[in-house]
Amino acid sequence: MVNLLELPPEELKRLLARGDISIAVVGLGWMGLPTACLLAEAGAKVVGVDINPSVVERLNKGTSHLDEPGLERLVKKHMRSGKFKATTKIEEASSQSDAIVIVVPTLIDQSKKPDYSAIENVCKEISKGMHKGSLIIFTGTCGPGVTERITRSILEKHSGLKAGEDFGVGYSPLRAMGGRALTDLQNYNRVVAGIDKKSLDSTCAILSAMTEGELIKVRNIRTAEATKLFETIYRDVNIGLANEFAIFCEKAGIDYMEAMAAANSQPYSHLLIPGAGVGGHCLPVYPYMLLDEARSHGAKLKIVKASRSINEDMPRHIVGLAADGLKSIGKSLRRGRVTVLGISYRPNVKEVRYSPSFELLSLLKRRGARITIYDPRFSCDEIGRFGYRAEPTLKKAIEKADCVIIVVAHDEFKKLDARELAALMGRSPVIVDCTHLVDSVQAEKSRAIYRGVGQGIWTK
Ligand SMILES: NC(=O)c1ccc[n+]([C@@H]2O[C@H](COP(=O)([O-])OP(=O)(O)OC[C@H]3O[C@@H](n4cnc5c(N)ncnc54)[C@H](O)[C@@H]3O)[C@@H](O)[C@H]2O)c1
């Protein structure tokens, strides 16, 4: 085994490129598998570890279980070259590796409390195989203090080794998005921290082999953990502000999109686009990690909390727009034929984690609506498994609908024409647009009842 902590960074990089460094990557999901492939591409001998045997089996056959551009090619290439193999045996992988990169999920539970159990379980297993000189690099998003407080202490307790003396600990959060993970991981700047200088230098040496981006060193791990939460919550808060302004505009007879474009002509104004809510497993989750830490420090994060509540309330607001539109033509949601366009959490991805569409659907269901879904990224069977009726084409889905709610701005919906939409639907159709794709003037000219997020003109 190579003691990475004792190597000068340049020597570590040279050995890695030559294939003399073994790295275990634990967790082969959306972020872990691209990380493993990029490290193999840089020259390291990589063993990928996952708790899921079917993931391991598929990878060892040379195919990726994830639909991520460029990933399949790298999996095939490095399985063939012998630089990458996968296993479920974490202790063995830990004992045979010089560095271990941990990329397992960090979640919140039903009551919105952080759930770090995957990290805890992994640390217990890793510590059985760890040795003097092991370097452990955490990459998961967590509350500031979690790596030092939970993960480091589990590793020390179960290995009998001392962090900073016997083994190193580095931390570098992931900045990448599903659908372009390889490119993001290769090019984005990364924030890095370590429990001491040796951990920091060797973590940087390894990461620099897989990224062209700058490595931004911060003073300690809790700062790096906070950085990831701050940059994500910044977005959640700004979307919350856009949603709040949008609701105001609806009441005040203002077109938010027009006001936003005009306001953003001022160089310091960066107003965002409002919508049906916020999804994905980052923005709806990370604020709760920070709120949890803040509670333990007796700090109140009022804006963070308020933004979450505004964003989580948007599906209810959208249902209100639909009910209002239907009421104006003497109909109601009860037994109304409502078509929902889009269930992904953001445009052009096949990913539904924390998608606001599902809250919207369950509220519509509770109000007694007869729901049909169309999403070009999902088959009818796939949508059926979520418990909803789907149609295979846009035309079929909207034919005779009383109300269409456009939730996700998939490229396929960009060519939606208000006139065609209205013609295909029943008489006096209601169009609720959360995406700002439909021309509201055109919709009204086509005798549709138009309601849009932030569209105040038509309610006055
Ligand atoms: N996906 C993203 O876009 C993204 C972006 C930035 C940060 N992150 C963060 O990256 C981390 C990983 O997220 P992800 O999206 O890659 O998760 P994921 O759910 O896609 O994959 C996690 C993988 O870990 C495996 N796993 C779970 N428990 C395990 C265990 N005990 N031992 C071994 N393997 C185990 C799972 O089987 C799965 O394959 C999280 O902290 C997440 O918040 C994700």
Side-chain angles (χ1 to χ4, degrees), residues 338-446:
V338 179
T339 294
V340 170
L341 298 184
I343 55 168
S344 301
Y345 85 87
R346 69 177 166 90
N348 306 324
V349 294
K350 188 178 177 177
E351 162 75 279
V352 295
R353 283 195 275 187
Y354 293 96
S355 170
S357 297
F358 285 88
E359 177 61 10
L360 177 76
L361 288 164
S362 86
L363 291 169
L364 288 170
K365 202 170 169 181
R366 252 183 269 161
R367 300 277 295 263
R370 289 186 283 168
I371 302 165
T372 301
I373 295 175
Y374 173 69
D375 188 312
R377 305 284 155 141
F378 293 84
S379 70
C380 291
D381 281 353
E382 285 167 332
I383 293 173
R385 271 179 239 131
F386 295 123
Y388 292 97
R389 203 178 84 82
E391 287 290 355
T393 64
L394 178 65
K395 185 168 176 281
K396 269 187 164 304
I398 60 179
E399 253 169 4
K400 304 209 169 51
D402 299 314
C403 172
V404 165
I405 308 180
I406 310 157
V407 186
V408 186
H410 285 315
D411 281 349
E412 291 85 344
F413 297 150
K414 290 208 171 124
K415 44 185 182 298
L416 279 179
D417 179 272
R419 260 172 313 190
E420 277 175 44
L421 207 59
L424 279 167
M425 296 169 68
R427 251 191 303 156
S428 306
V430 176
I431 299 172
V432 178
D433 186 8
C434 314
T435 58
H436 323 282
L437 288 181
V438 171
D439 181 336
S440 53
V441 177
Q442 201 58 263
E444 293 273 316
K445 273 193 191 155
S446 312

Side-chain angles (χ1 to χ4, degrees), residues 71-83:
L71 204 53
E72 180 88 11
R73 186 186 69 79
L74 287 184
V75 168
K76 226 175 224 96
K77 176 179 169 190
H78 293 297
M79 281 291 169
R80 259 195 214 137
S81 73
K83 281 212 164 297

